[in-house]
Amino acid sequence: MARLIVISDVHANLQALEAVLAAAGDHDPGGFVVCGDLVGYGADPGPVLERLFELPLRSMVAGNHDLAAVGRFPVEWFNDIAAEALRWTADQLPPHLLDALRGLEASERSTEGLVVHGSVVEPASEYLMPEESQAATRSFDAEGFDRCFFGHTHVPTVFIRSPDGTVGGRAMREGERLDLEPGSRYLLNPGSVGQPRDGSPRAAFLVVDTEAASAEWRRAAYPVEEAQARIRSAGLPRVLADRLALGR
Ligand code: ZN
């Protein structure tokens, strides 16, 4: 069987998404899982959505930014810069893409596992940072699953619940690989395609080999200056362009 490519938090960054899809091509991708925040912050929401919907999707959920763009999550929840980008995003999208976004939920069961944006407990909004094992424990307790894919923090992360019930979490670096042991349960975050926040500007993705039962955290370099120029010429807040070069 071919491999599963898991991505999250594309945030309307077309240049980063194209780099990830090209890099994913080397891993014989059989399907894609997308953990939400397809839009918001970046300058190409329409082209990014068109590209995502044409992928061989196993599952795609909505994030808080996607839901807010179609009026299903309060814009007041966001800081001023994110809210400004959201209003701009909603204005850019044609009716058929707004309808497509409205059709997505923040949590979905697929044959590959559970897929959520934030957490199992609060799929649209709770952050599972690598050091927050207690929050992860609540997610493990909330529903039955062997593997759950999530995003939202923009930090490549794994939480493992061992057969003895202990839960441990950590951030994952580029190139790290993990064997998925039978009997253990996993919460897996690929990191962000379009706005990484772990100090590396390179676009993040996760390769899951379902036969070998392993996961590998990967990064792809992309033309950051192009994405920055798109954000500036769209008139979006400049900080959204600046942070892409820092990976913050
Ligand atoms: Zn996000």
Side-chain angles (χ1 to χ4, degrees):
M1 223 285 289
R3 294 178 182 85
L4 187 68
I5 306 295
V6 184
I7 61 175
S8 190
D9 296 275
V10 179
H11 281 296
N13 186 334
L14 183 63
Q15 292 71 31
L17 177 61
E18 292 294 0
V20 162
L21 296 180
D26 296 339
H27 296 277
D28 186 22
F32 288 80
V33 166
V34 185
C35 303
D37 276 3
L38 323 176
V39 301
Y41 297 138
D44 287 295
V48 159
L49 287 179
E50 301 278 13
R51 195 78 173 91
L52 289 172
F53 278 106
E54 75 190 17
L55 292 174
L57 292 171
R58 299 289 178 79
S59 178
M60 183 154 80
V61 298
N64 50 323
H65 287 254
D66 308 315
L67 294 169
V70 293
R72 294 179 60 200
F73 192 90
V75 176
E76 302 75 55
W77 188 90
F78 296 88
N79 65 39
D80 289 350
I81 286 166
E84 181 181 341
L86 276 171
R87 282 188 285 271
W88 179 89
T89 297
D91 283 345
Q92 303 300 308
L93 293 175
H96 75 281
L97 289 177
L98 288 170
D99 282 347
L101 269 190
R102 273 187 207 101
L104 301 177
E105 299 298 331
S107 170
E108 185 173 86
R109 282 227 171 247
S110 82
T111 50
E112 313 302 338
L114 186 62
V115 184
V116 300
H117 179 60
S119 77
V120 179
V121 177
E122 294 277 354
S125 58
E126 186 183 26
Y127 291 93
L128 296 181
M129 297 303 291
E131 61 280 6
E132 287 167 1
S133 291
Q134 286 196 343
T137 299
R138 288 195 294 275
S139 275
F140 280 118
D141 288 341
E143 279 193 49
F145 59 85
D146 289 333
R147 294 170 196 171
C148 173
F149 301 104
F150 72 105
H152 196 40
T153 62
H154 299 211
V155 179
T157 301
V158 66
F159 294 99
I160 305 172
R161 171 168 248 170
S162 302
D164 67 6
T166 55
V167 173
R170 63 190 171 102
M172 298 300 275
R173 290 185 308 277
E174 175 172 4
E176 277 198 270
R177 194 174 165 283
L178 184 75
D179 288 323
L180 305 173
E181 310 279 355
S184 291
R185 300 171 64 202
Y186 296 90
L187 282 156
L188 304 150
N189 185 333
S192 170
V193 171
Q195 196 194 81
R197 293 179 192 161
D198 62 348
S200 166
R202 291 151 66 87
F205 63 106
L206 181 68
V207 182
V208 178
D209 188 324
T210 48
E211 254 184 25
S214 66
E216 189 173 350
W217 279 259
R218 307 289 310 183
R219 303 300 275 255
Y222 75 96
V224 172
E225 328 70 50
E226 264 180 54
Q228 292 178 312
R230 294 279 303 143
I231 288 171
R232 290 183 187 121
S233 68
L236 287 162
R238 291 185 68 89
V239 63
L240 294 176
D242 297 341
R243 69 186 302 176
L244 293 183
L246 308 171
R248 289 287 173 206

